[in-house]
Amino acid sequence: RRGPEAVHFVQAALEPGAEVLLSLDWERRFDHMQQHSGQHLITAIAEQMFGFKTTSWELGRQRSVIELDTPCMTAEHIEALERSVNEKIRERVPVMVRELAADDPEIETVRSRGLPDDHVGPVRVVDIEGIDSNMCCGTHVSNLSDLQVIKLLGTEKGKKNKTNLAFLAGNRVLKSIEQSHSAEKALTSLLKNGPGEHVEAVKRLQSSVKLLQKNNLNLLRDMAVLIARDFKSKPVQSQPFVLHRKEGDSEFMNIIANEIGTEETLLFLTVGDEKEAGLFLLAGPVEAVENLGPRVAELLGGKGAGKRGRFQGKATKMSRRGEVQALLQEFISHRSPEV
């Protein structure tokens, strides 16, 4: 918009006077009309019932949000507001658009956040009969019945002691129900019980997973100790000590390093997917690790950091572990006795 003129952007220049065909995405336009008129209705009723003024709103792709000038809304507030706005929809209240002259005294009675500084010409007012009059340049339904239904989704804490109220209007409610029903059917099939038992079933699964994770962690710890003791029990301890385990973690690698001891032994440990990403640990004599650590990280396509004889981090190219092992073998075969 530039002053009183609406400006349209096109892909190529048009000749003055040329006829053009405007194609309107009606589904998108009607969705915006439903959400926008729904916002006007919620805003008006929230102020009438509770004195909560709207300070801004956002038309989102999935849901819309109204910012209300109140630090909180109770569940009772939300329930009463939702009931009231849907009553107005059932009453088939007309929605009308009119234009007032800029100097018309009636403008003072119309709800507004003010006109733009460069506004010229008449003032557009959207009326919900007997409910609200509001300055607005947007597109709206012609009757509240076109909104079908409004669902208030709940609130979140907003900025500066305000509350954000999320809502759906019209076809978005139907789409949301369809998505929820599809998810419910999928969960019924997976959990082998009815929708009313889904929450308890998921809670039981979560408890089982936590127990399994705890048991798995304990087993990994025990395995790390046994791996280290097996290495130390051998008469000849070949270096470097190299080990990869897909299901391990950082603690698993550090337990092995602690049990073996790194004052004299050079260790290269990795966990995760053998051909993709994972974690690595290089441990051993301080000077050796300081020298080799960054080079190991580079070979593995990762990043890491270290101190006091340990260098560990994330790797994106675990398939190059063989190259790292070769580097360590070469280092050991050429290092001086002092190292």
Side-chain angles (χ1 to χ4, degrees):
R1 184 182 65 81
R2 293 175 185 164
E5 296 180 344
V7 179
H8 296 263
F9 292 87
V10 294
Q11 292 181 338
L14 297 173
E15 291 294 328
E19 289 189 1
V20 297
L21 177 64
L22 174 65
S23 177
L24 179 68
D25 183 345
W26 175 247
E27 183 178 354
R28 181 173 183 269
R29 167 60 61 85
F30 187 61
D31 171 62
H32 288 189
M33 290 161 61
Q34 287 186 317
Q35 309 316 308
H36 199 169
S37 296
Q39 177 265 314
H40 276 221
L41 178 60
I42 296 168
T43 287
I45 300 300
E47 186 169 349
Q48 290 172 17
M49 292 182 70
F50 312 117
F52 299 160
K53 293 183 179 296
T54 292
T55 49
S56 68
W57 85 291
E58 176 189 6
L59 172 59
R61 290 180 179 272
Q62 305 296 329
R63 63 176 191 166
S64 298
V65 176
I66 299 173
E67 183 185 71
L68 296 170
D69 192 12
T70 178
C72 67
M73 285 185 74
T74 65
E76 290 75 18
H77 284 142
I78 296 172
E79 182 181 352
L81 179 57
E82 180 177 284
R83 184 168 56 248
S84 181
V85 296
N86 283 294
E87 285 174 358
K88 299 302 181 185
I89 292 172
R90 291 193 296 273
E91 291 172 7
R92 296 179 52 82
V93 177
V95 180
M96 298 164 290
V97 175
R98 57 197 172 106
E99 292 185 349
L100 300 177
D103 58 354
D104 192 320
E106 188 177 349
I107 289 179
E108 299 300 323
T109 66
V110 174
R111 185 166 58 84
S112 170
R113 286 188 289 162
L115 290 168
D117 294 336
D118 62 348
H119 175 81
V120 294
V123 177
R124 189 170 183 269
V125 177
V126 176
D127 292 319
I128 303 177
E129 190 176 272
I131 298 174
D132 186 46
S133 288
N134 183 21
M135 289 185 193
C136 185
C137 62
T139 54
H140 290 270
V141 299
S142 59
N143 191 289
L144 289 187
S145 63
D146 290 332
L147 298 183
Q148 300 165 271
V149 65
I150 287 177
K151 178 60 185 175
L152 304 183
L153 300 176
T155 61
E156 296 177 353
K157 185 178 180 181
K159 57 186 179 182
K160 297 180 180 179
N161 289 321
K162 293 182 172 61
T163 296
N164 294 329
L165 174 65
F167 75 93
L168 303 173
N171 289 330
R172 291 195 183 190
V173 179
L174 299 178
K175 290 179 181 178
S176 177
I177 292 173
E178 176 60 31
Q179 291 170 354
S180 296
H181 181 60
S182 296
E184 190 175 90
K185 287 174 61 179
L187 286 171
T188 297
S189 175
L190 290 169
L191 299 174
K192 310 299 183 186
N193 59 15
E197 301 171 304
H198 285 175
V199 173
E200 289 303 317
V202 171
K203 286 181 178 179
R204 289 195 297 271
L205 282 174
Q206 288 178 325
S207 296
S208 298
V209 169
K210 286 180 180 179
L211 181 60
L212 287 171
Q213 288 176 332
K214 182 178 180 180
N215 291 339
N216 185 56
L217 182 60
N218 289 334
L219 288 172
L220 277 174
R221 288 169 176 167
D222 292 343
M223 188 181 299
V225 172
L226 290 173
I227 289 171
R229 289 178 179 174
D230 178 65
F231 173 77
K232 293 173 69 175
S233 68
K234 294 177 180 178
V236 179
Q237 299 173 352
S238 60
Q239 292 197 50
F241 176 77
V242 178
L243 177 74
H244 174 79
R245 193 164 193 90
K246 185 175 182 179
E247 65 274 16
D249 58 12
S250 293
E251 184 180 11
F252 172 77
M253 294 188 294
N254 278 289
I255 288 174
I256 293 176
N258 291 338
E259 289 290 327
I260 291 178
T262 59
E263 292 80 4
E264 298 180 357
T265 305
L266 187 63
L267 299 90
F268 174 54
L269 310 173
T270 54
V271 295
D273 194 301
E274 294 182 3
K275 296 183 179 180
E276 295 184 14
L279 304 174
F280 72 90
L281 169 66
L282 180 69
V286 174
E287 186 177 342
V289 172
E290 288 179 351
N291 183 305
L292 294 166
R295 295 162 65 186
V296 169
E298 183 179 2
L299 278 174
L300 295 175
K303 295 181 179 180
K307 59 181 179 180
R308 294 193 295 273
R310 296 199 185 185
F311 192 98
Q312 55 190 331
K314 295 181 179 179
T316 60
K317 299 177 181 177
M318 295 291 279
S319 59
R320 301 181 69 178
R321 288 179 294 111
E323 296 178 46
V324 173
Q325 187 171 350
L327 171 68
L328 302 183
Q329 292 281 11
E330 182 181 2
F331 176 83
I332 290 174
S333 64
H334 291 89
R335 67 178 178 171
S336 62
E338 292 77 17
V339 178

